[in-house]
Amino acid sequence: FWTFMFLELTAVGTIYKALGLLGVTFSAEYALAFAISRPIKRVRLPLNLAAAALLARVCPPLAKVEIMALMGILTTSPSHGDKQTNTQGSEKQFGQKLMERTTDLINKYGACYYLGSRIVGVTIIFALYQAILNGMDVSWIMEKFGVSDKLGETLGTWAAAVTIASLAAPVNFVLLPTVVPRVASQFASFRK
């Protein structure tokens, strides 16, 4: 999991630096669209599942890749051996049931869920950005937080780097088997 996160953050930083070297900047409005999209992420599960189902029909082998297992996160489907549960008596806690159900849904669609949620997320960001560019008044938010043009461009470019890295994230699953052993050996050499 930590190696995956390291790859994600490295990708964001690298893309941000590349955008800067190329002189490409994004506006404060883009940063704001990105920020507004973050809370929406919590309630877009139905859209993510619809996108995952569509991708699973188009490319069935992707649905077999269990993302939660690949990332080292607890899997709860019976095919993975004993469920690790924290129960009080015979009743599971609500949060645990919700986590198990969510994990099962994500594993049902596998990599299709992962890719579908990335596509939905980027689509929402661009839809919000277009709404802002087409007249949705957000100037009061910029004024309230004192976002200058320069800061807005920095935030917008960082948000764009995160968005681009999000779309490029499937590459991390290709790199993961290559990078993990090398990183582990580097850590082992530091301990000696």
Side-chain angles (χ1 to χ4, degrees), residues 49 67-68 101-111 113:
L49 290 172
I67 294 299
M68 301 296 263
R101 180 69 178 133
T102 303
T103 302
D104 288 343
L105 279 172
I106 291 170
N107 279 336
K108 175 182 177 183
Y109 291 109
Y113 177 84

Side-chain angles (χ1 to χ4, degrees), residues 109-129:
Y109 291 109
C112 294
Y113 177 84
Y114 182 76
L115 294 171
S117 68
R118 299 287 173 141
I119 292 167
V120 168
V122 170
T123 302
I124 288 172
I125 292 169
F126 283 115
L128 289 167
Y129 183 54

Side-chain angles (χ1 to χ4, degrees), residues 2-117:
W2 293 111
T3 304
F4 181 78
M5 291 304 295
F6 173 77
L7 288 171
E8 288 270 314
L9 292 173
T10 302
V12 171
T14 303
I15 292 168
Y16 178 76
K17 187 66 174 174
L19 289 172
L21 291 173
L22 293 171
V24 177
T25 59
F26 288 77
S27 67
E29 289 82 5
Y30 187 82
L32 191 56
F34 181 83
I36 292 169
S37 76
R38 298 296 86 187
I40 294 171
K41 189 176 185 176
R42 304 274 184 243
V43 295
R44 71 176 200 221
L45 183 61
L47 291 174
N48 292 348
L49 290 172
L54 178 64
L55 284 171
R57 280 192 213 129
V58 173
C59 191
L62 284 177
K64 296 185 185 319
V65 179
E66 291 189 353
I67 294 299
M68 301 296 263
L70 189 59
M71 291 176 59
I73 298 172
L74 171 69
T75 57
T76 60
S77 62
S79 64
H80 291 90
D82 295 336
K83 289 185 182 182
Q84 297 179 6
T85 58
N86 178 17
T87 59
Q88 290 182 339
S90 63
E91 299 217 9
K92 294 180 183 176
Q93 296 174 353
F94 173 75
Q96 184 178 0
K97 285 182 183 179
L98 182 61
M99 181 61 182
E100 286 180 4
R101 180 69 178 133
T102 303
T103 302
D104 288 343
L105 279 172
I106 291 170
N107 279 336
K108 175 182 177 183
Y109 291 109
C112 294
Y113 177 84
Y114 182 76
L115 294 171
S117 68

